[in-house]
Amino acid sequence: MVGSFGVSLLFGTFVAMQADSQMDRHKINTIAVYGSHDTLRLTDDVAALLTALAEHGVDLYIETPLWEALSQAGIPEGYPQMRLGGETPYGDIALSLGGDGTLLRAVHKLRDVELPIWAINCGHLGFMTEMEPQEAWHHLDDLLAGQYSIETRTLIDVSVAGEHVGTALNDLAVQKRETGSIIKIRADLDGDLLAEYAADGLVVSTPSGSTAYALSLGGPIVTPQCQTLLLVPIAPHTLNMAPLIFPDTSVLTMRVSSLHPTFSIVIDGNLRVYDCGVEIVARKSDKRAHLLRLSHKPYTQVIREKLLWGRDLR
């Protein structure tokens, strides 16, 4: 038995699909493989999934760090379909093997090409992943035959001082950099003043991210199909600053003032530091994340299983 790792695979020829629609049958020929730098060991289940794909005649192109980990585990031996590949994502379908962090990483890498991602949980909670690796290989025939649906998810584009600085599947957090005092954030919605928040920060979330940082701050769960965004204050100085749901057609503009000269923006876990006073703009992206679904598990079942929704824990 070898340990766990985060890895993403990209497949064949993409056919654009609407959310939850059925994809035409097609032959999957090529997979580009990339993995995380955190844990590069493999579980038996993940190794079995990779070898099964190779045995189905699918070519696997693997980036250098993951290739080295696979080589140490002896996985590529005897499988000419497994080979060293480059960093550029290409193909048609992405398979993310890891937790939600691996899925977020795959979404960011694939943003410009919008490849569908099948997310298999090799991490901990894996809220946005679809199934465990020991289940995944049972679905390979359907996958390779193109018998799956695509669920689209909203992304948020973030710009600072007029420059695009990132795209979020989950959320962006505008936060103070030092712990001694709060910051003030002026927030305007579609050019109209919303409020001046005195708080440790603000989280702007997609429906997908409503079960992440925003939920821990007391925000509501928003189902992925809702065409909304969510604004949740972090430790507000007053009790009348409640979470706000607003249409995803709106544009949110923010400016930070603080005793400290700088503040931070965290986009899906990636931190950047900026000078106070710059304009921050958050809006729905023209791009979308595409999640591949084979199990067709309803979202209500996901929150019951992952969040123990409605369960009596007394």
Side-chain angles (χ1 to χ4, degrees):
M1 172 73 70
V2 282
S4 64
F5 76 112
V7 54
S8 297
L9 312 177
L10 314 177
F11 296 70
T13 308
F14 175 57
V15 179
M17 301 299 298
Q18 297 297 320
D20 298 320
S21 59
Q22 193 67 29
M23 205 166 200
D24 294 334
R25 290 178 179 270
H26 62 279
K27 173 69 175 176
I28 291 173
N29 297 310
T30 305
I31 303 173
V33 184
Y34 59 95
S36 76
H37 300 283
D38 297 327
T39 51
L40 292 175
R41 294 176 298 171
L42 304 176
T43 65
D44 287 346
D45 291 324
V46 170
L49 181 59
L50 291 175
T51 54
L53 285 166
E55 288 169 355
H56 275 78
V58 181
D59 291 326
L60 309 178
Y61 288 89
I62 306 168
E63 69 174 348
T64 302
L66 181 59
W67 173 265
E68 293 173 352
L70 291 168
S71 298
Q72 291 173 5
I75 303 302
E77 295 177 8
Y79 291 97
Q81 294 90 348
M82 296 188 188
R83 62 198 72 176
L84 185 64
E87 297 288 329
T88 303
Y90 61 93
D92 167 75
I93 304 169
L95 171 58
S96 171
L97 296 173
D100 287 337
T102 303
L103 174 58
L104 291 173
R105 178 173 171 266
V107 168
H108 293 165
K109 280 182 170 287
L110 304 175
R111 173 185 175 272
D112 292 332
V113 290
E114 296 190 70
L115 300 182
I117 303 169
W118 185 31
I120 305 302
N121 185 31
C122 302
H124 299 289
L125 178 62
F127 187 85
M128 287 189 289
T129 62
E130 187 179 26
M131 61 184 66
E132 303 300 313
Q134 60 268 27
E135 302 174 65
W137 68 275
H138 293 292
H139 293 269
L140 285 187
D141 288 342
D142 286 342
L143 178 70
L144 297 176
Q147 298 302 305
Y148 51 80
S149 59
I150 301 296
E151 179 182 303
T152 59
R153 296 291 183 96
T154 298
L155 301 175
I156 298 174
D157 277 336
V158 185
S159 62
V160 177
E163 178 184 357
H164 181 267
V165 297
T167 301
L169 170 59
N170 266 353
D171 49 46
L172 68 111
V174 178
Q175 301 178 152
K176 65 180 184 179
R177 289 201 63 212
E178 50 86 30
T179 59
S181 61
I182 59 176
I183 59 176
K184 291 184 178 180
I185 306 172
R186 178 189 166 109
D188 292 83
L189 197 60
D190 295 328
D192 296 322
L193 174 64
L194 174 61
E196 186 170 90
Y197 291 85
D200 286 352
L202 286 177
V203 171
V204 186
S205 168
T206 65
S208 299
S210 69
T211 53
Y213 193 5
L215 183 62
S216 72
L217 299 172
I221 294 176
V222 182
T223 57
Q225 296 80 14
C226 291
Q227 298 178 338
T228 58
L229 297 178
L230 179 61
L231 182 63
V232 185
I234 305 171
H237 188 57
T238 58
L239 297 178
N240 58 351
M241 288 295 190
L244 175 71
I245 296 174
F246 60 94
D248 63 12
T249 54
S250 292
V251 177
L252 181 67
T253 305
M254 296 167 282
R255 289 183 185 272
V256 176
S257 59
S258 172
L259 294 177
H260 196 278
T262 60
F263 69 98
S264 65
I265 295 179
V266 183
I267 303 173
D268 280 352
N270 299 306
L271 184 144
R272 295 170 177 259
V273 176
Y274 295 97
D275 293 331
C276 289
V278 296
E279 182 181 74
I280 310 147
V281 177
R283 54 162 46 94
K284 179 184 176 181
S285 176
D286 292 334
K287 304 290 186 179
R288 295 182 296 176
H290 301 264
L291 302 184
L292 184 151
R293 300 302 192 195
L294 283 164
S295 67
H296 308 293
K297 185 182 297 184
Y299 189 74
T300 51
Q301 182 178 346
V302 173
I303 61 175
R304 287 199 312 272
E305 292 178 352
K306 300 287 188 178
L307 300 181
L308 307 181
W309 185 261
R311 185 175 300 181
D312 188 348
L313 301 177
R314 292 176 293 179

